[in-house]
């Protein structure tokens, strides 16, 4: 299934994308929003068993929101592609590098990305994100598939000065408002035959910047989820974004960073695509 949320900011409803590309309203089947326990295996099985033709069609072209509602945790893995580590002039990690993104930085896949006030080094990162479906702690890699609800596209927007030059942890450059476009869909795990072999791409102003594949990840999905579960309890609806292939602005010679008026477009095979205009911070934009 391709699950999504549609409607104005703060008033999104849960939906499903049918085989004809139409949005179907699942609010009559789902009690509440698309997040938390509504991503459990039992709930997803009930949704999968509902005849799609019985679900109301959503008319028009509504805004598409983030595909997961209010995750408790938004966790990220750094330097998870060897080529990206090389372009960052950093060694390939021996264990996953973990940091937090603020859950309230999540926005829809076509929403505007707002550069932080005074930002000069904001950057792009196409990533595949894992969405947790079951409460998870101390699990083995072989147990991971039973705890994953699905996958989606994430743009791990990053302010490199805040992240690298301001001391402390990376999260300072990772959790700014609008720095977590997510979606357009949450694709349930059963629809992805091999999550370890998906093409990825990102363009800025129509120029291809990133081209990659999940088969070059240093730590795969099973390793990442199992590893994180040994340090914290993962809850249904939590999002884990898993690192980016090479081609970020920081790694270009000379470096290239986002500026107002830029447009980012990105996607992952089987998971859909995103498009975000970039604007400068202002009281209105904030």
């Amino acid at each position: 299934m391709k699950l999504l949320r549609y409607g104005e900011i703060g008033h999104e409803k849960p939906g499903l994308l049918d085989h004809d590309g139409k949005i179907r309203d699942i609010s009559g089947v789902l009690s509440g929003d698309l997040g938390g326990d509504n991503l459990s295996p039992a709930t997803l099985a009930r949704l999968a068993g509902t005849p799609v033709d019985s679900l109301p069609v959503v008319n028009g072209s509504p805004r598409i929101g983030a595909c997961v509602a209010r995750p408790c945790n938004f966790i990220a893995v750094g330097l998870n592609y060897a080529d990206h580590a090389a372009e960052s002039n950093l060694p390939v990690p021996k264990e996953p590098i973990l940091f937090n993104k603020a859950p309230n930085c999540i926005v829809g896949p076509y929403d505007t990305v707002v550069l932080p006030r005074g930002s000069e080094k904001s950057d792009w990162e196409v990533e595949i994100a894992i969405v947790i479906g079951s409460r998870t702690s101390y699990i083995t890699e072989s147990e991971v598939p039973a705890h994953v609800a699905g996958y989606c596209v994430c743009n791990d927007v990053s302010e490199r000065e805040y992240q690298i030059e301001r001391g402390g942890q990376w999260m300072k450059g990772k959790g700014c408002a609008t720095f977590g476009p997510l979606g357009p869909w949450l694709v349930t795990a059963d629809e992805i035959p091999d999550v370890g072999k998906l093409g990825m791409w990102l363009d800025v102003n129509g120029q291809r910047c990133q081209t990659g594949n999940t088969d070059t990840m240093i730590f795969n999905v099973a390793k990442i989820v199992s590893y994180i579960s040994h340090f914290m309890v993962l809850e249904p609806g939590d999002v884990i974004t898993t690192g980016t292939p090479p081609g970020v602005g920081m790694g270009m010679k000379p470096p290239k960073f986002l500026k107002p008026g830029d447009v980012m477009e990105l996607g992952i095979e089987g998971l859909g695509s995103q498009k975000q205009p970039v604007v400068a911070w202002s009281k209105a934009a904030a």
Side-chain angles (χ1 to χ4, degrees):
M1 294 180 292
K2 292 182 174 68
L3 304 175
L4 55 88
R5 298 170 66 246
Y6 67 94
E8 295 305 310
I9 295 173
H11 300 281
E12 294 92 345
K13 293 182 178 180
L16 178 151
L17 192 75
D18 70 16
H19 292 296
D20 295 322
K22 297 177 182 177
I23 298 174
R24 301 277 182 159
D25 183 358
I26 59 173
S27 60
V29 180
L30 203 65
S31 177
D33 211 340
L34 197 62
D37 289 334
N38 277 337
L39 295 175
S40 70
T43 302
L44 293 182
R46 178 161 53 84
L47 278 173
T50 302
V52 173
D53 291 344
S54 70
L55 300 169
V57 174
V58 176
N59 295 319
S61 300
R63 168 188 171 269
I64 304 299
C67 58
V68 180
R70 297 178 295 279
C72 293
N73 295 295
F74 190 9
I75 306 153
V77 182
L79 303 178
N80 196 28
Y81 291 73
D83 289 347
H84 175 52
E87 72 175 351
S88 303
N89 296 314
L90 293 168
V92 173
K94 295 180 180 180
E95 295 188 36
I97 295 172
L98 306 180
F99 59 91
N100 289 323
K101 286 179 72 76
N104 67 356
C105 83
I106 292 175
V107 292
Y110 313 115
D111 288 345
T112 298
V113 166
V114 180
L115 300 179
R117 185 167 58 181
S119 167
E120 295 183 357
K121 296 184 178 180
S122 289
D123 206 345
W124 54 84
E125 294 190 10
V126 59
E127 306 194 0
I128 183 170
I130 307 161
V131 180
I132 299 298
S134 303
R135 197 168 194 266
T136 306
S137 181
Y138 293 108
I139 60 171
T140 65
E141 293 181 32
S142 64
E143 294 173 311
V144 166
H147 295 263
V148 172
Y151 305 95
C152 61
V153 181
C154 175
N155 188 355
D156 177 18
V157 187
S158 309
E159 215 299 342
R160 302 302 189 188
E161 179 191 2
Y162 300 176
Q163 176 191 355
I164 298 168
E165 301 173 32
R166 300 283 293 272
Q169 298 184 352
W170 287 6
M171 63 177 292
K172 287 194 293 189
K174 296 286 190 171
C176 304
T178 74
F179 270 25
L182 213 62
W185 319 304
L186 165 58
V187 181
T188 52
D190 60 292
E191 289 208 2
I192 306 297
D194 187 354
V195 72
K197 192 169 287 189
L198 301 177
M200 313 165 70
W201 59 272
L202 183 145
D203 297 346
V204 179
N205 301 329
Q207 178 182 354
R208 183 59 46 93
C209 295
Q210 290 187 274
T211 302
N213 195 291
T214 57
D215 65 4
T216 62
M217 292 170 69
I218 299 167
F219 306 108
N220 62 22
V221 165
K223 174 64 176 181
I224 288 168
V225 177
S226 172
Y227 184 84
I228 294 173
S229 79
H230 284 71
F231 297 98
M232 62 186 292
V233 176
L234 294 168
E235 300 286 354
D238 282 355
V239 176
I240 304 169
T241 191
T242 60
T244 198
V248 300
M250 176 180 65
M252 293 183 174
K253 300 187 186 302
K256 178 181 178 180
F257 297 111
L258 294 168
K259 60 185 185 301
D262 285 346
V263 176
M264 295 179 283
E265 297 184 70
L266 58 147
I268 298 177
E269 182 182 354
L271 301 182
S273 61
Q274 303 184 351
K275 183 176 182 179
Q276 298 109 26
V278 178
V279 302
W281 184 93
S282 68
K283 288 185 178 179

